[in-house]
Amino acid sequence: MKRFHLKLKLQFESMPKTTELGSKKELKSMPFITYLSGLLTAQMLSDDQLISGVEIRCEEKGRCPSTCHLCRRPGKEQLSPTPVLLEINRVVPLYTLIQDNGTKEAFKSALMSFYWCSGKGDVIDDWCRCDLSAFDASGLPNCSPLPQPVLRLSPTVEPSSTVVSLEWVDVQPAIGTKVSDYILQHKKVDEYTDTDLYTGEFLSFADDLLSGLGTSCVAAGRSHGEIPEVSIYSVIFKCLEPDGLYKFTLYAVDTRGRHSELSTVTLRTACPLVDDNKAEEIADKIYNLYNGYTSGKEQQTAYNTLMEVSASMLFRVQHHYNSHYEKFGDFVWRSEDELGPRKAHLILRRLERVSNHCSNLLRSPYIQSRVDTVPYLFCRSEEVRPAGMVWYSILKDTRITCEEKMVSMPRNTYGESKGR
């Protein structure tokens, strides 16, 4: 159970008091310590009737008056108008400051209702019993808020050209609504796709991923943060397209079927892997085929070679060709001259698929390739969730078995000089 605490630090320079002047009231200022002394005189703060949970400590801001026995120190008893700092330095639940048991329980119940049930229901064990007025238009109780999950990139897995790992912290509170599932949507977004018509793919974390019924290209995991009671869910996508713009959307579903607000992450995968040495060899081969008289067979060989490589490799072939042989005519001009406008157009239009970001990187003087091996969690549910009963199952209570697996993540390294 979450408890409410109060910690106050107060510094008073003066307290107002009211004096009667004829029919008018005039506010005058008085030192707070004088006000405190008056309370002491009236036995409201006497030693045997101190308010439970409140400790008063005075610190000198000059000198304390002799009337404050809490601040009395040898040689420090001269009268002084200088204010005194008072602190409430003991942290306790608010309702423990109330002496009457009935009032204390009512105050505790009100605080719990306000914090966990939006003030529209009562806390019963670890859930909220909503008032009759706390139902939404669909007839579902909504006094207990369903928090919005925050989708983010996993800090331990750097995205590559085909692999992206996402994670979020479980939003199920200690008291109140119970999360049944998380729904994750992912889709590729580009200028050729109507984002309103193309909805992408929806994946249920419980029914598709933990159950193992989903694709092998997506794996689910569950771990714990710094606090053992906090669960962190993760999903790793292993078959994305390089240099693609993807939009990932997540929302939570509770046991009554309510949906939380959406959380979205949009990112572009890394540039496709290129073999720079092979790209340079192909550039040399194309130059030799274009050089001198080009027969029909040589034209077809050059055309087939350039059409078989990926768009990124073609971009890199063009870069190497122009770097070494531009003095004999650049790649575009020679291709149109040797292969004809139609075939050259079919080849060169593929370069448009390369994004501006990747085209800038592919112009780097040197590109090296490497393959990183990164661990990830692969979790499966130990139980079968009954069909049609998803809303009545609590995801956090699902028994799962996890194992650590490895995924290979090829990457390009771009630089001004060859690395060692």
Side-chain angles (χ1 to χ4, degrees):
M1 180 182 71
K2 192 176 183 69
R3 306 181 76 185
F4 293 85
H5 299 90
L6 171 67
K7 186 174 183 180
L8 301 178
K9 184 175 183 180
L10 308 174
Q11 180 171 3
F12 296 87
E13 296 200 357
S14 63
M15 291 289 294
K17 70 176 181 178
T18 304
T19 61
E20 293 283 349
L21 290 178
S23 60
K24 296 183 178 179
K25 291 185 178 181
E26 180 183 358
L27 290 177
K28 290 187 177 181
S29 294
M30 63 185 299
F32 180 73
I33 198 63
T34 304
Y35 174 74
L36 178 63
S37 300
L39 293 179
L40 289 171
T41 304
Q43 298 298 313
M44 296 181 66
L45 285 177
S46 62
D47 291 339
D48 58 346
Q49 290 183 337
L50 288 177
I51 297 177
S52 173
V54 176
E55 176 185 340
I56 298 179
R57 184 181 69 195
C58 299
E59 295 180 5
E60 181 182 0
K61 300 295 182 181
R63 296 190 183 99
C64 290
S66 57
T67 53
C68 179
H69 73 280
L70 296 172
C71 307
R72 188 172 299 135
R73 299 179 189 174
K76 302 281 187 177
E77 300 180 6
Q78 298 89 341
L79 292 175
S80 171
T82 307
V84 174
L85 175 68
L86 302 179
E87 292 183 350
I88 298 177
N89 61 1
R90 182 176 173 185
V91 180
V92 293
L94 278 172
Y95 51 80
T96 62
L97 303 179
I98 303 174
Q99 299 300 305
D100 179 71
N101 288 335
T103 306
K104 179 187 296 186
E105 287 302 317
F107 188 35
K108 176 182 176 181
S109 176
L111 285 176
M112 296 285 285
S113 173
F114 177 78
Y115 188 82
W116 296 111
C117 309
S118 304
K120 301 177 182 178
D122 298 321
V123 173
I124 307 295
D125 295 329
D126 64 346
W127 57 282
C128 287
R129 182 179 63 192
C130 297
D131 298 337
L132 294 178
S133 60
F135 286 77
D136 60 19
S138 303
L140 298 174
N142 64 351
C143 67
S144 178
L146 177 56
Q148 176 190 25
V150 179
L151 189 63
R152 67 192 183 196
L153 286 174
S154 298
T156 57
V157 182
E158 180 186 356
S160 71
S161 56
T162 58
V163 179
V164 169
S165 180
L166 302 167
E167 68 178 29
W168 65 93
V169 176
D170 186 21
V171 296
Q172 178 170 303
I175 297 175
T177 187
K178 305 302 178 187
V179 174
S180 172
D181 200 0
Y182 290 96
I183 306 299
L184 188 65
Q185 176 198 22
H186 74 283
K187 62 180 179 180
K188 187 179 180 183
V189 182
D190 54 41
E191 64 272 22
Y192 307 107
T193 303
D194 188 333
T195 55
D196 294 331
L197 297 177
Y198 174 64
T199 59
E201 182 179 4
F202 287 86
L203 294 171
S204 162
F205 189 84
D207 291 339
D208 296 328
L209 301 180
L210 287 182
S211 67
L213 298 178
T215 171
S216 60
C217 287
V218 187
R222 184 174 75 183
S223 59
H224 297 283
E226 297 179 358
I227 303 175
E229 292 79 12
V230 177
S231 296
I232 298 177
Y233 296 105
S234 61
V235 174
I236 184 168
F237 294 85
K238 299 180 287 183
C239 306
L240 301 179
E241 294 183 21
D243 194 19
L245 184 63
Y246 284 88
K247 181 180 181 180
F248 301 89
T249 303
L250 176 75
Y251 63 88
V253 181
D254 72 3
T255 53
R256 294 185 173 95
R258 289 187 303 164
H259 292 184
S260 71
E261 295 292 329
L262 301 177
S263 178
T264 302
V265 169
T266 302
L267 60 85
R268 181 175 292 277
T269 52
C271 302
L273 193 69
V274 295
D275 185 338
D276 202 34
N277 292 328
K278 183 177 180 181
E280 193 167 12
E281 291 174 1
I282 293 176
D284 293 338
K285 177 181 178 181
I286 296 300
Y287 169 75
N288 291 327
L289 290 172
Y290 285 173
N291 190 27
Y293 171 74
T294 304
S295 65
K297 181 180 179 180
E298 291 172 328
Q299 289 180 355
Q300 191 62 39
T301 299
Y303 175 77
N304 292 342
T305 300
L306 295 175
M307 290 295 289
E308 288 170 359
V309 299
S310 66
S312 296
M313 277 289 287
L314 178 61
F315 197 100
R316 193 62 181 171
V317 168
Q318 180 188 35
H319 171 81
H320 282 300
Y321 188 99
N322 291 336
S323 298
H324 298 309
Y325 311 114
E326 191 171 18
K327 61 183 178 180
F328 303 109
D330 68 7
F331 179 78
V332 173
W333 181 82
R334 289 304 307 273
S335 296
E336 292 175 343
D337 185 57
E338 298 294 338
L339 305 179
R342 187 183 68 84
K343 287 186 175 181
H345 175 71
L346 293 175
I347 294 171
L348 297 174
R349 68 182 296 182
R350 299 173 61 225
L351 297 175
E352 299 174 1
R353 303 177 187 174
V354 182
S355 67
N356 292 333
H357 171 69
C358 287
S359 62
N360 290 331
L361 291 175
L362 290 171
R363 293 189 182 95
S364 302
Y366 298 100
I367 300 178
Q368 291 181 325
S369 303
R370 77 177 196 272
V371 178
D372 296 336
T373 303
V374 179
Y376 70 95
L377 276 180
F378 177 75
C379 298
R380 287 288 180 90
S381 173
E382 298 178 2
E383 54 195 30
V384 179
R385 290 163 62 103
M389 298 289 287
V390 175
W391 288 357
Y392 302 97
S393 302
I394 299 176
L395 181 61
K396 197 170 187 177
D397 295 341
T398 303
R399 295 191 303 271
I400 63 174
T401 301
C402 297
E403 61 178 311
E404 188 177 272
K405 291 193 173 186
M406 309 298 289
V407 59
S408 297
M409 304 180 69
R411 305 181 188 279
N412 294 327
T413 302
Y414 309 92
E416 297 297 324
S417 60
K418 289 186 178 179
R420 295 181 178 179

